[in-house]
Amino acid sequence: MHEESGALPQKCDFSAWYNDILWQAEIMDVRYPVKGLYVWYPHGFAIRKRTYGILRELLDRDHEETLFPLLIPEHEFMKEAEHIKGFEEEVYWVTHGGLTELDVKLALRPTSETAIYPMYSLWVRSHADLPIKLYQIVNTFRYETKHTRPLIRLREITSFKEAHTVHTTWKEAEKQVEEAVALYSEFYARLGVPIIISRRPEWDKFPGADYTIATDAIMPDGKTLQVGTVHHLGDNFSRTFDMKYEDPEGVQQLAHQTCYGISERCIAALISIHGDDRGLILPPEIAPMQIVIVPIIKKGRENDVQKAADDLEATLRGAGYRVTIDTRNIRPGAKYYYWEMRGVPLRLEIGPRDIDSGVVMAATRFGEKIQVSRVTILEEIGNLLESFREEMRQRAETRAGEQIKQVSTMGEAKEAAEKGVAVLHWCGDEACADMIEKETGVGILGDDVRSSYIGDKTGPCIVCGKEARPAIIARTY
Ligand code: P5A
Ligand code: ZN
């Protein structure tokens, strides 16, 4: 796609590393001339396609995919007071068709509640119509004023997966929130990305929601990235959009709703958490190319080696692997470097000596080298990729464990939050949260925390001493 540009900055310089890897591993081109809008290179897009393939697979078990318009008429957008307050400064408006000023201004969806719910109100008639569970994967627009960053803070979110559900009761919607949280957990487990689940404080919940449960990943620099949110909407939107159903007794009842979303931030987390100084590291399930074969050519044995590589490729392709032979006329070392940057999980080297002894040299993206017999190759490669996936997951888990610290004093909290996530006890009062922010420089990210690293032990609130449950503070993207 473009010329090589030398070694990556080290990952410990995360910001520089992140910008460079997007370019060198051909994920995004950031040169598009509108702030906050970026271009997917085909390689990045192939990663996106497989990542969202997993998300679709999980959702399709009991959701249906749909597609709503991008444009929302002003009068619908302006109906739900909290929602408007939350988004009014972020909305792009379409005001003209050609030279003619539109009678009704049209919003570019920042999210689709106000596009979808007027239609839901037409669709929902009886309790027999419920639940409704739809999702769409679309672009949305938010005029973000904080520092924009590819895949992380976009003005055009290109890969916004939003699900919108309708239920009979508040309790049913609450159950759906839990199912969505479980679904997101499963999704991130498939990516090998550890997440912390917590409830956002009241002042940080989604505009129009009763409460918000968020999933956060910890980036290499210790800042957290919100990589998905699930909102209980109660009957707030069904009141506004008059979404009522007839219950079995023939009484009209307000519907209850949830919505939940994930954006291409999931790919930012995937890249950042697994990658290293040499480039991407991708789970085999997601890697656009899973195996690269590098022929080691020796004078006089060119045809031999070529044939062995072709046979190997055919065998692997037949077994369903995404595999390629790198026949370019460059040094093997340059080929290794190239494929490592792009995160190929497994490299197979085959030269005259290997052919003579009926073996292939396998090297994983972690640098582990194993000699594989040509006879049992399919079984061995299956095992190698499976243990590679497991090792990726474990390394990320270990890292996350190191980035989370239990603290009991403000001094410790401040220090821990400079490097990662600090777990402390907080009673839930806003005044105590303000004090924590004043003393440590970082705000409460969430309480009601669910994470294998963070217990559920109660303790005295770090500010007022009242019996309290664990909460987390962290610097955030
Ligand atoms: C849930 C889906 C919503 O919009 N409506 C439909 C609800 N929630 S949210 O929290 O505002 O967004 C969902 C997730 O999208 C990611 N996100 C972004 N990603 C990239 N660039 C942005 N500007 C951006 N804004 C939000 C977050 O991961 C968020 O949790
Ligand atoms: Zn307190």
Side-chain angles (χ1 to χ4, degrees):
M1 220 54 228
H2 56 62
E3 71 285 358
E4 298 289 328
S5 31
L8 276 178
Q10 286 192 328
K11 201 182 173 188
C12 51
D13 182 4
F14 175 64
S15 188
W17 178 91
Y18 182 74
N19 288 329
D20 220 57
I21 200 171
L22 293 181
W23 160 253
Q24 291 214 47
E26 294 175 316
I27 311 285
M28 305 299 295
D29 195 328
V30 301
R31 293 173 297 180
Y32 192 76
V34 179
K35 183 178 155 68
L37 276 55
Y38 309 95
V39 179
W40 289 95
Y41 278 118
H43 186 243
F45 196 79
I47 292 169
R48 175 195 186 272
K49 187 164 74 182
R50 298 192 188 282
T51 308
Y52 278 72
I54 296 174
L55 198 48
R56 272 204 170 86
E57 176 199 318
L58 299 181
L59 284 159
D60 285 344
R61 288 175 186 161
D62 65 345
H63 296 64
E64 291 175 293
E65 190 167 356
T66 182
L67 203 48
F68 277 74
L70 164 66
L71 299 175
I72 305 172
E74 184 178 19
H75 51 85
E76 296 293 5
F77 190 79
M78 291 306 188
K79 271 185 186 162
E80 216 287 331
E82 289 301 315
H83 195 67
I84 303 162
K85 258 198 275 157
F87 281 105
E88 65 186 349
E89 286 180 26
E90 293 185 9
V91 177
Y92 285 90
W93 289 102
V94 176
T95 57
H96 285 78
L99 298 178
T100 312
E101 195 171 331
L102 299 176
D103 295 338
V104 179
K105 280 205 293 179
L106 300 168
L108 293 184
R109 59 182 166 218
T111 169
S112 300
E113 285 73 11
T114 56
I116 296 177
Y117 301 168
M119 298 308 294
Y120 275 5
S121 106
L122 300 174
W123 295 351
V124 174
R125 282 285 160 266
S126 132
H127 65 95
D129 299 328
L130 303 179
I132 296 176
K133 299 188 196 184
L134 304 186
Y135 77 92
Q136 61 179 4
I137 300 174
V138 295
N139 58 347
T140 61
F141 292 82
R142 295 185 181 183
Y143 184 73
E144 296 279 359
T145 45
K146 272 206 205 164
H147 183 63
T148 53
R149 248 181 242 276
L151 301 176
I152 290 178
R153 178 162 282 104
L154 308 159
R155 286 188 171 173
E156 180 186 4
I157 309 173
T158 69
S159 316
F160 196 63
K161 190 289 297 169
E162 49 178 330
H164 295 269
T165 71
V166 192
H167 309 268
T168 50
T169 62
W170 201 93
K171 271 260 166 263
E172 285 295 312
E174 186 185 33
K175 253 199 264 165
Q176 186 60 37
V177 166
E178 289 308 311
E179 281 180 31
V181 170
L183 193 146
Y184 284 2
S185 300
E186 191 175 350
F187 173 63
Y188 281 108
R190 285 273 282 274
L191 306 188
V193 168
I195 51 166
I196 305 174
I197 299 161
S198 71
R199 187 181 55 212
R200 285 282 177 265
E202 199 57 21
W203 55 89
D204 226 12
K205 66 186 189 186
F206 184 67
D210 278 359
Y211 67 89
T212 292
I213 308 285
T215 57
D216 293 281
I218 314 174
M219 298 294 260
D221 58 0
K223 287 200 218 171
T224 58
L225 180 66
Q226 175 182 297
V227 290
T229 36
V230 182
H231 314 291
H232 195 310
L233 301 178
D235 58 13
N236 305 329
F237 284 88
S238 59
R239 280 178 196 281
T240 314
F241 290 98
D242 191 33
M243 204 183 300
K244 290 201 184 104
Y245 66 93
E246 192 177 283
D247 74 10
E249 280 73 50
V251 182
Q252 292 289 310
Q253 304 279 5
L254 280 170
H256 293 77
Q257 294 185 273
T258 80
C259 67
Y260 30 105
I262 277 185
S263 76
E264 54 255 63
R265 280 186 183 182
C266 62
I267 293 167
L270 177 80
I271 290 170
S272 306
I273 283 167
H274 296 304
D276 68 7
D277 289 353
R278 287 185 292 172
L280 295 179
I281 297 181
L282 296 172
E285 187 175 17
I286 287 173
M289 196 55 76
Q290 297 171 306
I291 304 169
V292 57
I293 300 169
V294 179
I296 311 294
I297 306 289
K298 287 270 147 56
K299 267 220 167 60
R301 300 285 302 265
E302 290 91 344
N303 292 342
D304 261 15
V305 173
Q306 185 59 47
K307 177 162 186 319
D310 287 343
D311 288 350
L312 188 56
E313 184 191 36
T315 307
L316 294 169
R317 190 160 288 160
Y321 290 111
R322 297 186 286 278
V323 52
T324 188
I325 308 177
D326 190 341
T327 54
R328 289 177 299 171
N329 190 21
I330 53 174
R331 289 176 301 106
K335 296 180 182 178
Y336 301 171
Y337 176 88
Y338 177 91
W339 293 106
E340 278 168 0
M341 181 64 73
R342 283 157 185 77
V344 176
L346 201 61
R347 177 178 79 228
L348 300 178
E349 300 160 24
I350 187 159
R353 268 192 287 152
D354 305 309
I355 296 171
D356 294 343
S357 40
V359 298
V360 175
M361 276 309 292
T364 73
R365 180 58 182 77
F366 286 132
E368 195 191 1
K369 288 201 163 194
I370 311 103
Q371 199 176 60
V372 175
S373 155
R374 209 43 196 87
V375 183
T376 51
I377 193 146
L378 282 182
E379 193 190 329
E380 291 194 58
I381 281 184
N383 292 340
L384 267 177
L385 286 174
E386 177 51 29
S387 51
F388 178 76
R389 187 191 64 79
E390 178 55 21
E391 165 121 33
M392 279 186 72
R393 193 190 62 75
Q394 270 175 18
R395 287 186 185 212
E397 289 276 337
T398 306
R399 190 78 220 290
E402 291 162 359
Q403 288 171 307
I404 299 173
K405 237 183 127 119
Q406 193 86 42
V407 300
S408 49
T409 67
M410 282 298 186
E412 286 171 9
K414 188 170 187 314
E415 201 189 315
E418 271 157 24
K419 297 191 214 107
V421 175
V423 186
L424 44 72
H425 287 101
W426 171 57
C427 65
D429 282 356
E430 193 163 353
C432 290
D434 288 345
M435 185 57 85
I436 292 167
E437 182 156 3
K438 199 168 143 244
E439 298 266 324
T440 65
V442 290
I444 295 280
L445 189 60
D447 64 1
D448 204 359
V449 186
R450 303 179 225 171
S451 154
S452 49
Y453 316 98
I454 301 168
D456 198 29
K457 274 217 204 87
T458 58
C461 170
I462 196 165
V463 182
C464 70
K466 252 193 309 210
E467 187 75 349
R469 298 188 53 207
I472 48 176
I473 65 169
R475 291 169 303 135
T476 58
Y477 271 96

